[in-house]
Amino acid sequence: MTTSNGGAAALAADAERASRSRFLEATLSSIPDFVYAFDRQRRFAYANPAMLALFGLPAAQFLGKTFEDLDYPPELAALLNGHIDRIFEEGVTIEDEVFYRSPTGYAAYFSYLRGPIRGEDGLVELVVGVSRDTSERRAMEEALRTSEARLRAATELVGIGIYSWDPATGALDWDERLRAMWGLPADALVDMAVYEAGIHPDDLPHVREAIAACADPAGDGRYSVEYRVIGRDDGVMRHVATAGRTTFADGRPVGFIGAAMDVTTRRRAEAEIRASEAQFRGFAANSSNLIWIGDPAARAIIYRSSAFERIWGIPAQDAAKDLSEWIKDVHPDDRRQVEHALAIVAAGEVSQFEYRLIRPGDGAIRWLRDTSFPILDDSGAVTRIGGIIEDLTQEDLRHVYVVSSEPTEARKLASVVRGMGFRARIFESAAAFLDMAAVLAPGCVVVDLRAGKDEGLSIPRELKARVIALPTVALDAADADLSTAIAAMKAGAVDYVIFEDEATLPSALASAISECQGVARAPARDEGATARIARLTPRERDVLVGLVDGGTNKVIAQKLGISPRTVELHRAQVMNRLDAASLTELLQVALAAGIAPSLGESKGKRKPT
């Protein structure tokens, strides 16, 4: 009976082991990982269906084979055999990852974990292992590393600092670049107190409002703000622009990540540009000359200063923007030369030209002088053209300049002049007057010789020498001799008035000033050849001299270092300025003005080019 019971127990134990074995086999067959075991001869003692499928072999052909039998690469086989031997000897567990291509063509990275299975005697009987395809994980890790590397490169390139914030705990995580913006060392601890302490006090309320808004679940979580930061350790004030976004879970803010950039240099440059523009507009607004800027490519005028309305007689907003429309205000006889001059400027050279404007408001004609110039970009290309226009129109001459070293007499003469309807200005000496003469408005000069003949007579002489068109009336005492009158006329005075008494002075001065005004009003357009050539720009005069020397456009261009096309434009401008219909007429005007061919530059002596 005892034997019978023992046999039954053994049978039950065998049945239980068989059940466990079937359960284990079913389990190992259902998992996608590769499960296997090795005996002490490094032979495969077990392989689950996934492992057999990897090699495309049935169990009968696979079990009992070694790595060498399965044609593993020698270096890989040596590595794996070494692991098996160590597990048998030391009973350790080994984890590693290798790349392998199976005979079926399945290539992947495999991570594996191998360990010992001990017998009842405690010795290692088998080495069991589990391998898993980790190619996808490695690819994701590599993509993450690449993404992180690119992010680091991008942040280094554009100077972006990266940071995160935990809305629940208030914890901050900053990179080194962001710490530097706060004037902190790379290893400095940061918290909300350090963060807020660095923000300019005037900007802190605005920043707090932006933080509260981005942490509000009712909003979109976006954060974008710019503020000033005062470095804790260096005291430097910086402008920081930052943006980020909050993440929410269950209606609560749970995370935030953002980026910040130091925009101090940009803001300073913008401030300098605004200051420069303000200075320019202030100068332009207070200048009596018109300042304009145009776009030659679009053929448009993009800026006019406030002097436009005074010269053109219409508001600036009513003026033509298109150059083709604007040119219609130019006198028909002057349009061609204006177009040529603007072409020269668009080609990269400065040009000065005069023309008549027919004011669109009242039809009045005004004489204008325009000094135009190219505006270049960083590469030297002409992107804009600009000009300064001076109104040369002769106004009604009502200015009289009184020069007398006797203050009482000077005030008396000025009073008489003003009584005749003129504007009077007093100068206490000849030197004081001559220092200002070149910039004074057209008018007449009354010189009081009673206070000093030699000093007084120096005025008409100097005006004549300096080619300043201010006619002079000499005023002298009743007892002056004839020689003084002769000296005054030789010096250049247009009249000589004797001061007899207070009663006769107004009528005497009125007659002299009337004659003086007539001299000052002498027509400026009927000048001789020399005066007309004097109005040419230096470059136009160079081209004229080249033409007088018999040079072609190409020869003149080589000599002046410009293009033949530019010479052609200057040549047309010169002919328009000098009213020459042909080259022959142009040369006649030049010769009449004393411009003769240079020695050794005649056609017969010119070297071939």
Side-chain angles (χ1 to χ4, degrees), residues 226-275:
E226 183 174 327
Y227 49 86
R228 291 164 292 176
V229 171
I230 301 175
R232 187 191 71 181
D233 295 347
D234 57 17
V236 175
M237 188 174 77
R238 301 174 176 88
H239 290 260
V240 173
T242 178
R245 192 164 189 176
T246 306
T247 54
F248 299 91
D250 299 326
R252 295 181 298 105
V254 295
F256 177 93
I257 188 168
M261 178 183 293
D262 185 341
V263 294
T264 306
T265 301
R266 183 190 308 170
R267 295 296 172 259
R268 287 176 179 169
E270 291 172 352
E272 290 174 359
I273 291 173
R274 287 194 298 270

Side-chain angles (χ1 to χ4, degrees), residues 390-420:
E390 179 185 1
D391 190 349
L392 303 178
T393 308
Q394 292 273 345
E395 302 289 353
D396 186 19
L397 304 179
R398 309 295 297 174
H399 296 277
V400 175
Y401 305 106
V402 176
V403 184
S404 177
S405 59
E406 293 292 338
T408 302
E409 294 300 322
R411 288 193 295 271
K412 185 184 299 183
L413 289 171
S415 178
V416 172
V417 167
R418 292 189 183 105
M420 292 186 290

Side-chain angles (χ1 to χ4, degrees), residues 349-363:
E349 291 204 36
V350 176
S351 179
Q352 186 180 83
F353 50 97
E354 295 179 13
Y355 62 93
R356 286 163 292 181
L357 164 71
I358 303 176
R359 298 208 326 177
D362 55 16

Side-chain angles (χ1 to χ4, degrees), residues 400-414 417 424-437 440 444-460 463 470-476 509:
V400 175
Y401 305 106
V402 176
V403 184
S404 177
S405 59
E406 293 292 338
T408 302
E409 294 300 322
R411 288 193 295 271
K412 185 184 299 183
L413 289 171
V417 167
R425 180 174 177 180
I426 296 174
F427 292 89
E428 62 183 13
S429 67
F433 169 75
L434 291 171
D435 284 343
M436 296 290 297
L440 294 176
C444 297
V445 186
V446 175
V447 178
D448 188 358
L449 299 183
R450 296 173 298 171
K453 290 183 173 54
D454 292 339
E455 182 182 11
L457 293 178
S458 67
I459 291 177
L463 292 175
L470 291 174
T472 303
V473 174
L475 177 67
D476 208 348
L509 274 181

